Amino acid sequence: MQSPFCYLPVIALLFLYGCSTNPQISTEQYIDPTIGNISTLLQPTRPVMQLPNQMIRVYPLRKDHTDDQVSGFPLQVAAHNSGTLFVVQPATGKLTPAAWQQKQTYDREIIHPWYYHADLLESNTTVEFTPGSKTGIYRFTYPAGMRKYLLLDSAGYHTNGTSLTAQTFYHDDVPVYLYGEFNTPVNVITLTDTLQYLSFPDTTTNIITLKYAISYVSMASAENSFKREIGNRNFTAVQNNAQQRWKEITDQIRVEGGTTAQRRSFYTALYRCYERMVDIAEDTLYYSGYNKKVNHTTRPFYVDDATWDTYQALHPLRMILHPQQEADMLQSYTEMYRQSGWMPTFPRLYGDHPCMNGFHSTIVFLDALRKGIPLTDPDTAYAGMKKNALMATMLPWRNGPNGPLDSFYYTHGYYPALSPGDTETVSTVHPFEKRQAVAVTLGHSYDDWALSQFAAALKQDADARLFAARGENYRHLWNPGNGFFMPKDAAGNWINIDPAFDGGPGGRDYYDENNGWTYLWQVQHNLPALISLMGGEKRFEARLDELFRKDPGMPRYELWHKFPDATGLVGQFSMGNEPGFHIPWLYNYAGAPWKTQKRVRFLLDLWFKDNVFGIPGDEDGGGMSAFVVFASMGFYPVTPGIPIYTIGSPIFSRITITLPENRRFTIIANHCSDTNKYIQSARLNGEVLTSPFFTHQQLTQGGTLELEMGPSPDRRWGASVHAL
C-alpha cells in the first residue's frame, strides 16, 4: 500500500543550537510524583521511587492520596501497580498480633523519584528510602529509649548477625530472593506461622539502615548485586547517584517559557515515561517467565509492558530519546518469542499477560524498522508476529491457539458479534470481556497492515499481499447509513445498536472500554481512506467537531456506571483512555490544523494540572504521560509505523531535545503564551514550512522548527498543503 504521506516534501536540515532553563531550579526538581495520585474512577497513579527503567520500584502502600495512613513499605513492586514483595513497617513499644494489621498515619511526606521521607505518628518513627537498580536502602529513625522493631509481611525471613535473607514466589512461579544487611545486629522473632518481626537489641543507635538487593535468579546473584551496587556506599551517596540519573533524563529535554505549573506537569510526565519497561538482567543472567528458567545474556532483558497502552506514544518517544534502549526492549520481545513460542503483547515478569485486544507489538516493530532502530534479528521477530497473525486467538484477554471466531475472521474479514440478548456460544470467550467484535476487527486491521509493511521490507511479497488485504478489514464494519463502525452477526447482517451506549459494561460486546464514538477514528494506518468513508475532508472535520461537542445525553454518573474508563470527557471524546490519544490531532489531516492547536492546548490545560488530580484516567505506566510530553512539545506521532510527526501548539517558547551523538532538535515558538496558541507561519531549518508535518529523519538528524504564534487562528497555514 502506498503511504498516505508520500507527497510530504523533504526539507533540508541545519545545525541546531541549545537553550537553557531557569538556572535556579534544576530540571529534575520539577518532578512531582504525587501528580495524579487521586484517580477519577479507576486506578490512581502511584508515586514510584525508581531509577529510570530499572527493576526496583517502591511506593508507600495506601489506597490513594486521600488516605492518610500507610499499611507498609515494600522492598520491591514487581509489576506496574501490582506485585508488592517483602513489605516492612517500623514499630515501637509492646507488640501484639493486631500490630500487623494496624495502619500508621503519616505526615511531612517528601517524595522524589530518588528519595522518600515520611514521619509515622503512631510509632513516632521516620522512614526514608532511596533506590538503586537491583538494590535499595531504607533508613528508619526511632525515638530514643524505645524498643525498635520492623514488622514483616510473612514468615520465612532469616537473620545472621547483621544480614537478612528471604525467598518467596511472585505469581506462584517466579522465584524472588532478598539479601540485605543492617548497620546493626538484628534478630528475627517468629510468633506464628505467618507473623515475624525483626528486633534490634543495639541501644546505642536510633537509626536503623537496611541495604538490600532483590534477585529473580538466586540468592548468590542478589549478594552479587548488593556488592556491585551499594556495598559500602552510604545512603547519601546512593541518593545523590539516583538524583543524578534523573537529572540526566530531564536535562535531555530542556524548556524555556511556560509557567511553573506547566513545567511541573511536563517533567512529571517525562518521569512517568521511565517506569517501564524494566531491565531485570543481573550482570549476565536473568530469569525468564517465558521458558521458566535462568538464561545467559550480554545485553539488558526488559519486561513489564502493555502495548495496547504504549504503542501509540511511549514507544515512539523512546525511539527519539533512547533508540538503543528501544532496540534492547524489542530484542527482549524477540527472545520471549524464542522461549515461549508466541510473540508477546503484554509481557510481564512471569510471561505474557492476556490483556486487552490486538497484537500491537507488531506496530511497534514496524515503527522501529521504519525509524532506523537497530533490530538485531528482524527475521525471527517477523516469524513471531506472523505466527500470532495466523495461529493465535484474537479473543480479548485470552492467549493460545486460534479458534472458531478467528477462523471466521480469516474467511470473512470481521469478527462476528452477537445481537443484544443472545447467549454466547463459544466457550473460550471471556465472560466479562466478551467478543469486542468491532474493536478486535479495527485493531487487527492496523496490526495486519503493519505486518504487511514489515513483510514487504523483508521481501516476503506473498505475505505482504495477504496481510495488506487483511489491513483493509475495517471496511467490512463501516456502516454508511449511520456513519459508524458497527457490529455484524455471523450471517453478515448489521446489528442495530446505539454505538454511543450499547454493548454492556464498557461496551465490550462490540467495542472496548469506550463507545462507538471513540472507535470511529481507529483507522490510524489509512486516514485518507477514513476521510473518504466519511465523505471527504469537510465532513471529516465536522464529525470531529461533533465528537467534541456531542452531549452524552445522560447524567455522567449513569454513563460512568457503564463506561468507567471513559474519563476526561469533552463531549464524547475521552482523554482518559488510550484509544483517544491521536484523535485531537486529526484536524491536521483535514486542512484545519488550527483546530488541533486549539483542542490539544485545551486538553492539556483542562485535564493535566500539576496536582493530585492531574491525570484523568489510568496512566498505565507511561502510556498517557507520553501523550503529555509530545503534546507539550507541540508534535505527535499519529500513526506509529509511518515515520511522520504532526504539529500542534507548543506550550513552551523553546524546547531543546538532545539526541544521540549530541545532535539537537529545537522547537522555537515565538510569542508563545496561553493566548498566543495559534501558528501563523513556520520554518524548518530556515525553509518555509506550509504543511503541519515533518519526518522522523528530519528530527533525528537535528534541526530547528521555528513557529510564529499569535492569538487568532490563521486558517491558511497548513490548510492547502498537507500530507494526503
Side-chain angles (χ1 to χ4, degrees), residues 130-132 137 229-230 233-243:
T130 189
I137 305 180
E229 282 195 35
I230 51 177
R233 300 170 70 196
N234 62 26
F235 189 99
T236 301
V238 174
Q239 177 185 336
N240 289 343
N241 176 72
Q243 182 172 353

Side-chain angles (χ1 to χ4, degrees), residues 406-416 473 476 488-492:
D406 309 299
S407 297
F408 183 97
Y409 181 86
Y410 303 152
T411 302
H412 299 280
Y414 69 93
Y415 230 53
N473 281 345
H476 295 297
K488 284 182 178 179
D489 63 21

Side-chain angles (χ1 to χ4, degrees), residues 1-2 29 35 164 168 215 274 340 395 422 498 581 649 673:
M1 179 188 300
Q2 188 178 42
Q29 295 290 349
I35 291 176
L164 174 71
T168 189
S215 172
Y274 291 84
S340 69
L395 278 173
D422 284 356
D498 176 2
F581 290 172
S649 178
S673 68

Side-chain angles (χ1 to χ4, degrees), residues 527-546:
L527 291 171
L530 181 61
I531 292 171
S532 178
L533 287 175
M534 289 192 188
E537 292 177 9
K538 291 301 181 184
R539 181 58 183 152
F540 185 81
E541 179 186 346
R543 291 301 299 276
L544 281 167
D545 288 343
E546 187 180 9

Side-chain angles (χ1 to χ4, degrees), residues 460-481:
Q460 302 288 335
D461 296 336
D463 287 353
R465 290 190 295 271
L466 168 66
F467 295 118
R470 283 173 42 165
E472 296 292 300
N473 281 345
Y474 62 89
R475 295 180 183 273
H476 295 297
L477 296 187
W478 175 255
N479 187 327

Side-chain angles (χ1 to χ4, degrees), residues 172-249:
D172 296 330
D173 62 355
V174 179
V176 188
Y177 303 90
L178 163 67
Y179 176 81
E181 292 184 4
F182 288 95
N183 63 330
T184 184
V186 59
N187 296 320
V188 62
I189 311 297
T190 301
L191 292 183
T192 69
D193 290 343
T194 59
L195 297 183
Q196 280 188 317
Y197 68 92
L198 301 177
S199 174
F200 304 95
D202 185 358
T203 60
T204 62
T205 179
N206 295 326
I207 299 176
I208 302 298
T209 299
L210 169 61
K211 301 178 182 180
Y212 68 92
I214 300 292
S215 172
Y216 302 131
V217 172
S218 66
M219 190 64 72
S221 185
E223 289 190 57
N224 288 338
S225 293
F226 182 94
K227 294 173 184 177
R228 183 171 57 250
E229 282 195 35
I230 51 177
N232 295 324
R233 300 170 70 196
N234 62 26
F235 189 99
T236 301
V238 174
Q239 177 185 336
N240 289 343
N241 176 72
Q243 182 172 353
Q244 179 60 32
R245 293 277 294 276
W246 281 107
K247 178 176 171 54
E248 292 167 1
I249 291 298

